[in-house]
Amino acid sequence: MEPETTPDTLTHTPGTGRPVPEAGPELLRRWRSGGGELVELLTEVRGLGGVAAFRLGPAPTVLVTDPDAVQHVLARHPDRYVKRSHRARLLIGDGVLAATGAAWKSQRRLLQSQFTGPGMRRYEHRITGAARTTAERWDGYARTGQTFDVGREMRRYALDAIWRSLTGHPLDDGTESELDAVAAVATALPTLPADVTDAHDAVAADLARIDAVARRAVEAARDGAAGPDGPGLLHVLTDAAAERPEYTDRLIRDEMVTLLVAGHETTATTLTWLHLLLDRYPAAREQALAAGGEGTEQRRQAVQALVHETLRLYPSAWILPRHTAEAGTVAGYCVEAGTDILVCPYLTHRDPELWPDPEHFDPRRFTAPDGRPTHPGAYFPFGIGPRACLGLQFALRESTVLLEHLLPAHTLAFSATPAKTVYGITVRPDGPALATSVRPPG
């Protein structure tokens, strides 16, 4: 989108790079008069280029969407462009998503092996168990014609999968009800008061429910009470506490809640979007099911492509804030120390120069030769670099396994779909997605 006014430029140190193009006052006035949604402002600022700036206060914020600049900030120089306090810190405390410095490196190292290679195979049957439970429930919906909320169903499945992986137990109705508080706090975060005490007080009851569930689960893991699926991720954390004093009860709670949030909320949102997109683009479902037979690698790749294309349009983290610890240049532009940076996968993934017809849902981008850009900074729904999401493989496997169970046996007829999109911690549909499940012919 081309701005109607000539952009201003940031002040910069001579000889260290070009000044960053900056949105002028007319662009900001136009944005404010239109309702002031952040995504709309960023879309307009993106019209100035892949590295551009705007001011909502005295200091500039730099928006980064150019693939080279994305890789520069997130992957090549993570010590220069640092992550500060996480927006969900009130919920996840000092868990690995919010931790920084040496603490973050230590916590990530402990968990990393659980989400790659042999570690992932440990949780495969737990994910499959949760998928089978969901498929059986949907079979019942299809028999009775019951209407259900697809978003609620996807949260229920994803929570079951991560709960089995954490504790070794299937999710029971009582725990599910208590853990509704996780989604309640996550949804409330963008609207909470700026004062930390006031923010905590506003969601204190939900935080207390989460803490109670975590306390019971941690105590069971510490007592060696493995579930029917065997020891889970919580046992990894409680075992670490025997040798590493930093793993207090509070840090174990924070890591557990971090894994609950990262392991179910984002996946549930992605799967909800995917079902809504398949309703609009039914040919995509047929193309995936036509690729190979059940259980084949070809079918799996086609189903994964559905997930990847959904994540392109609705990335797990739509915006990644960073803070410039020392001055430098980003794609040839000077960025001063102290500058806040917003890396925006949502806009990079919708750049028509990278993704032809970017608003169109086309999973073949991820199966056809040359169907997608190869630059690592062009597609990064889970981030890139050392702070990329630990649970990437878990989330992809979780999504793919469920779809392999549901797509051949069910099509959805929606009676109500969300009219708006909410840009909060995640990009999520605003409201229920009500549907009935119909078994396809044959």
Side-chain angles (χ1 to χ4, degrees), residues 141-171:
Y141 296 154
R143 286 193 300 270
T144 62
Q146 179 179 339
T147 297
F148 57 92
D149 180 358
V150 175
R152 176 80 184 180
E153 282 291 306
M154 295 303 96
R155 285 193 299 274
R156 191 174 180 181
Y157 160 68
L159 187 58
D160 188 14
I162 190 61
W163 187 254
R164 291 172 188 247
S165 300
L166 282 165
T167 69
H169 290 277
L171 182 69

Side-chain angles (χ1 to χ4, degrees), residues 173-196:
D173 291 343
T175 301
E176 180 190 358
S177 177
E178 289 298 295
L179 289 178
D180 279 345
V182 173
V185 176
T187 301
L189 284 172
T191 63
L192 292 178
D195 180 80
V196 174

Side-chain angles (χ1 to χ4, degrees), residues 226-439:
D229 289 332
L233 280 162
L234 269 180
H235 291 80
V236 174
L237 296 171
T238 55
D239 288 349
E243 300 178 0
R244 300 166 64 169
E246 67 269 27
Y247 277 88
T248 62
D249 285 355
R250 184 65 194 182
L251 181 57
I252 293 172
R253 174 268 180 210
D254 290 348
E255 292 288 37
M256 176 184 171
V257 175
T258 296
L259 292 167
L260 278 171
V261 173
H264 98 276
E265 191 65 29
T266 55
T267 299
T269 302
T270 298
L271 286 167
T272 303
W273 280 121
L274 195 155
H275 284 293
L276 290 167
L277 287 165
L278 290 180
D279 182 57
R280 291 170 53 197
Y281 300 93
R285 174 184 177 275
E286 301 307 320
Q287 289 163 2
L289 293 177
E294 183 178 347
T296 64
E297 184 59 28
Q298 190 178 6
R299 169 73 66 82
R300 179 159 294 182
Q301 289 177 0
V303 172
Q304 286 177 343
L306 295 175
V307 179
H308 280 299
E309 179 68 346
T310 303
L311 285 166
R312 182 186 68 82
L313 289 168
Y314 302 104
S316 295
W318 77 279
I319 198 164
L320 304 171
R322 293 294 186 266
H323 185 75
T324 308
E326 59 180 82
T329 57
V330 178
Y333 293 102
C334 174
V335 177
E336 300 291 345
T339 302
D340 287 327
I341 289 180
L342 297 179
V343 181
C344 189
Y346 181 86
L347 292 179
T348 300
H349 294 179
R350 292 169 183 256
D351 184 343
E353 293 184 8
L354 299 170
W355 304 91
D357 196 8
E359 300 297 326
H360 182 72
F361 180 71
D362 185 2
R364 290 173 297 183
R365 300 179 201 270
F366 293 90
T367 55
D370 303 320
R372 53 166 289 193
T374 57
H375 195 297
Y379 177 70
F380 55 112
F382 295 93
I384 55 173
R387 291 208 74 126
C389 177
L390 266 173
L392 182 153
Q393 293 303 323
F394 188 96
L396 291 177
R397 194 76 197 101
E398 192 179 11
S399 300
T400 303
V401 168
L402 181 66
L403 294 170
E404 288 174 333
H405 279 76
L406 295 184
L407 290 185
H410 299 273
T411 57
L412 296 183
F414 283 92
S415 57
T417 56
K420 295 181 180 180
T421 300
V422 176
Y423 298 84
I425 299 296
T426 59
V427 187
R428 60 180 175 82
D430 185 17
L434 303 179
T436 53
S437 175
V438 181
R439 286 189 177 278

